Amino acid sequence: MIGGTDPSGGAGLTRDAAMAVRMGCEVKPVVTAVTVQTDTGVDALNPVPPSVVRAQLQAALAAPMPAAIKIGMVATDAQVAALAELLPQDLPLVFDPVLRASSGGTLSAAPALRPLIGRSTLLTPNLPEAACLSDLPVAVCADALQAQARALLALGAGAVLIKGGHARGDHCVDHLFTPQGTEQFAAPRVAAGKRGTGCSLATAIACRLAAGADLAAACRSAKAELTRWLRL
């Protein structure tokens, strides 16, 4: 798991680890930034030097080799370059492109993330992130979602899961786009929101991929597990 720390425990590597445990997996954390944040906002973002990120990743990839990789917040262009150089080609890689904290505050710049998009097995943006990364307006219809997905697939992502948490309606619908077609995963919308939903979903997908599930099955199972967590 690659991402930032959150002292409030609501997102980042803490949330990744909690979901991984729920899925029966262990994690090897690689810290990209030490944040100072709470449920109400981000007060400070302290990036880890890229040389330290590189050293952490080399240690994490040492035996036993992880079965999948999940990337969350990457704080600097130099970190992106270091990760893109060292990430193995033969492991499933789920990239949750964290641009802003749910409590507020910019965490990553969209254009700098493109090298990692091109390395991802699955990219998992929410609606605002998909719009920002594709340089298109926020999608309000199926055609707009398709256009954003095509743009993101053209950047090299193996597949794109555009999450529906920011949409309206009684059901939250996530849309999986692959070169072969599309699939939807729906669940009743849970009124009580929690921070860290994007971290949790991407981590759950990575855990299922690590266990050998195919992409659609991993997304479906992760959606169900996220919904159970939201209802706690």
Side-chain angles (χ1 to χ4, degrees):
M1 302 296 170
I2 301 170
T5 65
D6 175 359
S8 73
L13 290 171
T14 302
R15 180 48 44 203
D16 290 339
M19 178 55 76
V21 169
R22 286 179 63 91
M23 306 295 284
C25 293
E26 297 181 353
V27 301
K28 291 185 169 186
V30 173
V31 180
T32 59
V34 177
T35 73
V36 180
Q37 62 179 299
T38 65
D39 288 345
T40 60
V42 178
D43 296 320
L45 173 65
N46 303 283
V48 172
S51 60
V52 179
V53 173
R54 177 191 295 270
Q56 289 181 88
L57 181 56
Q58 288 173 328
L61 293 175
M65 175 74 77
I69 296 174
K70 181 260 180 176
I71 301 178
M73 183 186 69
V74 184
T76 67
D77 294 7
Q79 288 182 356
V80 170
L83 291 172
E85 179 184 348
L86 288 178
L87 286 168
Q89 300 279 358
D90 56 348
L91 292 180
L93 194 159
V94 179
F95 181 25
D96 182 34
V98 181
L99 303 181
R100 294 183 62 86
S102 55
S103 59
T106 300
L107 299 177
S108 301
L113 300 180
R114 290 186 175 179
L116 296 180
I117 293 174
R119 297 292 301 278
S120 62
T121 305
L122 177 68
L123 181 70
T124 64
N126 59 31
L127 288 170
E129 290 163 349
C132 187
L133 291 169
S134 63
D135 199 24
L136 293 168
V138 174
V140 294
C141 66
D143 288 346
L145 284 174
Q146 286 275 4
Q148 291 180 355
R150 285 195 298 269
L152 296 173
L153 289 170
L155 293 176
V160 180
L161 182 72
I162 300 181
K163 300 172 292 191
H166 287 73
R168 297 180 178 179
D170 294 335
H171 285 75
C172 176
V173 183
D174 300 341
H175 299 261
L176 176 65
F177 299 89
T178 72
Q180 292 74 40
T182 65
E183 189 164 349
Q184 297 180 2
F185 310 100
R189 193 174 296 278
V190 180
K194 292 183 179 180
R195 293 174 57 223
T197 54
C199 303
S200 297
L201 181 64
T203 295
I205 294 170
C207 289
R208 285 293 179 252
L209 292 175
D214 65 37
L215 185 57
C219 291
R220 186 180 303 108
S221 174
K223 178 81 169 178
E225 187 61 40
L226 178 69
T227 302
R228 284 191 285 270
W229 172 65
L230 288 172
R231 288 173 171 165
L232 292 177

